[in-house]
Amino acid sequence: SYHYALDKFYGSRDAFKAFVDSCHKNNIAVIIDMVYNHAFGQSPLVRLWWDAINNTTASNNPYFNSVARHPFNVGFDFNHESQATRDFVNRCIKFWLQEYHIDGIRFDLSKGFTQVNSGSDIGAWGRYDQSRINIWRYYSDQIRQYSPNSWLILEHFADNSEERELSNNGFLFWGNMNYAYSQGAMGYVANSDISGAFHGNRGWTQPNLVSYAESHDEERLMYRNLNFGSVTLNYNTRQPGVALDRMKLAAAFLYTIPGPKMLWQFGELGFDFSINWCTDGTINENCRTGDKPVRWDYLRQPDRFKLFQVFQALFRLKTQYNIFETGNFDLFQSGAVKRIRLNDGLNKVVVIGNFGTSNQSINPNFHRVARWYDFFAGDSLQVTQTSQTISLRPGEFRIYSTERFFPVNRDVLISSAQLDKVSANGNSVGAIYPNPSKGVFTIPMMLQNRGEETFIQIIDASGKMVDSQNLGYQEATNEVNNILFTPKVKLPFGIYYINILVGSDRFAQKLIVE
């Protein structure tokens, strides 16, 4: 509504300036999100030319269309072919760049900067639009006159040919890869193609694609892992430790791809609160823009800190070694296995990973016969033939290079929780999840031979049995049966031991209730 005003959420004008100065002293650029697709009814530009009868902007309003020209519009739609609008936007951008010394702008809903009326046709809205290209070239030319080095990022999602043309003009584009990375992290092969995260695979000559797996508009990968991930008897992506390890795998196949990338807040710690999380703990789309918990305490959790260290190492690789910005890149994907190859003169890198839920083999297709260094293992491999097979456990990845990189903690890739698996006498029970839990948990079970009567016992830390339930006879099946268990009593915070009695078999696991 007030495009010149600093929201009080960011503090006073002087406080925000101090923040920007502090960022610059620490080599951090500040880019702000600006909304010039629309304005709301409080805006003076809306109110000065108002059609009270039709409850919309008047037909003679020099800034706005009376009827929005595209789908997904909210508020009132700016007319960016109007010189009045162009002058206003230019003055406003110049003010922010010069008054606060910010380093760039991310333009919200940039595909809406058009006077081509697509009505409610989403497909038509996204097609190549020369008039929209002309509008953005105009703004770019204006901004470059008073701030030549500013970052200009578009939330566009239009036809690839249009984005490619504007990327050649210096614009950066958001590259939404949330769904593909979510599918891979959850252990599903379908729709897990990540090739679009690399600008070259889109036919772009400029590395101006800001690819990301998470954003303020998309669901958290960790939340999806814990709630919707693939579950087999011997491998459960919903188990917290395994889910965190899957985040490492996804990160390895995002941040090693050349070009700028975006990390959404706390993604490096496996933030597991849904985008639709409400402060009362429920999940509702009405809470999408509501406050989310700030969880710096995650750094004190060993498995999450390991994830943090993996992100830290990947970012250091990306910023310190030119090979991770090379244009000589290829991506191989076959079923659950993926491979990245990078080539930068003498240095070569191969990244291999298993996004499946069972052991897989892959040919790394090494560039040459040489000694290759396994980055996270701190080890090396003498490659005697470029085509050879390497076996990977589910969720496992490796980064090989012909140049030895800096040393890292060798223990960061495998979480402690992955080691908790049980089986006996043809009846098998996987690790219970979620763990930690609020009390309710799920038991993955597969009875291979016959139906068995099943009992669940919960023992507290003092050895007292606090709950015991007979789940009745469970039928034999060749598939995992996920049994949701609800204790009859509320379990206070603490550690509990779960006995799962299946016929003559006994399985014991530990549960943390938070």
Side-chain angles (χ1 to χ4, degrees):
S1 295
Y2 306 108
H3 288 82
Y4 283 88
L6 178 74
D7 194 292
K8 59 183 177 294
F9 193 88
Y10 298 107
S12 68
R13 291 175 61 175
D14 287 344
F16 186 71
K17 290 178 180 179
F19 165 77
V20 173
D21 289 343
S22 181
C23 286
H24 288 169
K25 289 177 183 177
N26 288 278
N27 290 324
I28 299 172
V30 179
I31 300 171
I32 67 171
D33 185 39
M34 283 191 167
V35 184
Y36 292 114
N37 171 79
H38 53 270
F40 289 95
Q42 289 177 305
S43 170
L45 304 184
V46 170
R47 298 174 70 178
L48 281 168
W49 292 270
W50 180 251
D51 181 349
I53 296 176
N54 295 303
N55 197 35
T56 187
T57 48
S59 59
N60 65 339
N61 191 311
Y63 298 98
F64 296 95
N65 297 308
S66 297
V67 177
R69 294 296 196 269
H70 61 86
F72 295 160
N73 184 73
V74 293
F76 301 99
D77 184 32
F78 270 112
N79 174 1
H80 285 279
E81 290 187 349
S82 164
Q83 193 59 47
T85 298
R86 292 184 172 194
D87 291 344
F88 168 74
V89 171
N90 281 327
R91 287 195 304 269
C92 193
I93 292 174
K94 184 176 182 180
F95 168 78
W96 280 93
L97 289 170
Q98 295 186 347
E99 178 70 15
Y100 292 103
H101 294 176
I102 60 170
D103 303 284
I105 301 161
R106 180 267 193 189
F107 291 95
D108 179 76
L109 203 59
S110 59
K111 190 165 58 179
F113 286 43
T114 178
Q115 285 300 102
V116 175
N117 194 343
S118 53
S120 60
D121 189 335
I122 297 174
W125 180 35
R127 294 189 192 115
Y128 182 93
D129 182 345
Q130 185 62 56
S131 66
R132 183 165 51 209
I133 292 174
N134 294 341
I135 288 170
W136 279 113
R137 281 177 171 168
Y138 169 82
Y139 283 128
S140 174
D141 291 343
Q142 296 298 309
I143 294 169
R144 297 301 182 199
Q145 290 182 30
Y146 49 80
S147 187
N149 298 317
S150 289
W151 301 99
L152 303 179
I153 307 174
L154 302 183
E155 185 199 27
H156 216 58
F157 306 130
D159 186 89
N160 183 63
S161 61
E162 180 175 326
E163 294 196 354
R164 180 175 62 240
E165 190 169 331
L166 285 171
S167 76
N168 291 335
N169 219 72
F171 285 101
L172 279 72
F173 286 84
W174 265 25
N176 183 0
M177 298 298 300
N178 175 260
Y179 191 71
Y181 280 97
S182 291
Q183 287 290 98
M186 290 189 292
Y188 301 120
V189 173
N191 301 310
S192 65
D193 181 359
I194 61 171
S195 58
F198 175 57
H199 70 278
N201 289 337
R202 301 189 182 202
W204 298 16
T205 58
Q206 301 300 317
N208 289 343
L209 181 68
V210 185
S211 304
Y212 58 87
E214 295 179 317
S215 77
H216 73 288
D217 281 330
E218 306 296 338
E219 187 57 273
R220 291 288 188 162
L221 266 63
M222 188 65 178
Y223 176 80
R224 284 199 176 118
N225 285 357
L226 293 173
N227 290 277
F228 309 109
S230 177
V231 176
T232 66
L233 183 66
N234 296 315
Y235 190 78
N236 181 359
T237 64
R238 301 186 191 184
Q239 190 180 356
V242 178
L244 288 169
D245 287 340
R246 305 289 298 196
M247 294 292 292
K248 301 169 190 173
L249 170 67
F253 276 81
L254 175 63
Y255 298 110
T256 58
I257 293 178
K261 301 291 177 282
M262 182 175 74
L263 167 68
W264 190 236
Q265 51 198 22
F266 289 118
E268 75 281 13
L269 294 173
F271 194 78
D272 49 7
F273 289 82
S274 170
I275 188 175
N276 296 320
W277 183 85
C278 306
T279 54
D280 64 1
T282 60
I283 307 297
N284 190 305
E285 287 191 2
N286 293 330
C287 299
R288 174 158 292 214
T289 58
D291 289 347
K292 302 298 185 286
V294 177
R295 298 302 304 266
W296 290 115
D297 61 298
Y298 278 178
L299 279 167
R300 298 194 296 271
Q301 298 180 19
D303 283 343
R304 292 185 186 273
F305 185 64
K306 286 183 178 181
L307 176 63
F308 175 85
Q309 290 176 298
V310 169
F311 271 75
Q312 193 176 49
L314 291 171
F315 291 172
R316 188 176 170 189
L317 284 178
K318 190 170 186 65
T319 56
Q320 290 189 7
Y321 296 91
N322 291 334
I323 190 167
F324 294 101
E325 295 303 324
T326 180
N328 195 339
F329 166 95
D330 65 77
L331 170 66
F332 168 80
Q333 303 177 95
S334 177
V337 296
K338 300 183 190 296
R339 180 190 67 213
I340 288 173
R341 300 196 322 150
L342 304 113
N343 188 346
D344 182 37
L346 294 177
N347 195 16
K348 323 288 183 183
V349 168
V350 174
V351 185
I352 56 175
N354 177 9
F355 285 80
T357 57
S358 61
N359 291 346
Q360 300 283 338
S361 295
I362 184 173
N363 173 13
N365 194 14
F366 290 111
H367 298 77
R368 65 170 183 252
V369 172
R371 179 168 295 280
W372 289 74
Y373 297 96
D374 187 337
F375 176 58
F376 280 105
D379 202 351
S380 65
L381 173 69
Q382 182 62 50
V383 174
T384 57
Q385 56 181 6
T386 56
S387 295
Q388 62 186 72
T389 300
I390 293 180
S391 179
L392 297 174
R393 298 186 303 274
E396 185 180 9
F397 71 92
R398 298 181 191 174
I399 299 177
Y400 290 105
S401 62
T402 54
E403 174 186 345
R404 187 188 290 275
F405 297 133
F406 55 88
V408 293
N409 178 3
R410 300 183 184 185
D411 189 41
V412 297
L413 288 191
I414 303 298
S415 70
S416 58
Q418 273 216 44
L419 305 178
D420 187 16
K421 298 183 176 69
V422 290
S423 65
N425 297 332
N427 298 324
S428 301
V429 176
I432 59 178
Y433 66 93
N435 193 3
S437 162
K438 299 294 184 183
V440 177
F441 55 89
T442 295
I443 309 166
M445 182 179 298
M446 186 165 72
L447 309 184
Q448 296 179 348
N449 298 322
R450 63 192 183 282
E452 295 279 15
E453 191 172 19
T454 302
F455 296 85
I456 306 296
Q457 299 173 341
I458 301 181
I459 316 296
D460 67 15
S462 70
K464 177 184 176 182
M465 184 181 297
V466 295
D467 192 6
S468 178
Q469 296 186 38
N470 183 346
L471 300 185
Y473 285 88
Q474 304 295 317
E475 293 301 320
T477 175
N478 290 322
E479 297 180 351
V480 175
N481 182 21
N482 293 304
I483 300 174
L484 182 66
F485 182 79
T486 303
K488 292 184 292 188
V489 296
K490 180 175 176 57
L491 301 178
F493 171 83
I495 296 176
Y496 296 84
Y497 299 93
I498 312 299
N499 290 330
I500 305 168
L501 309 176
V502 183
S504 60
D505 293 335
R506 177 181 178 275
F507 306 92
Q509 299 192 40
K510 184 167 65 174
L511 173 70
I512 299 174
V513 174
E514 59 179 7

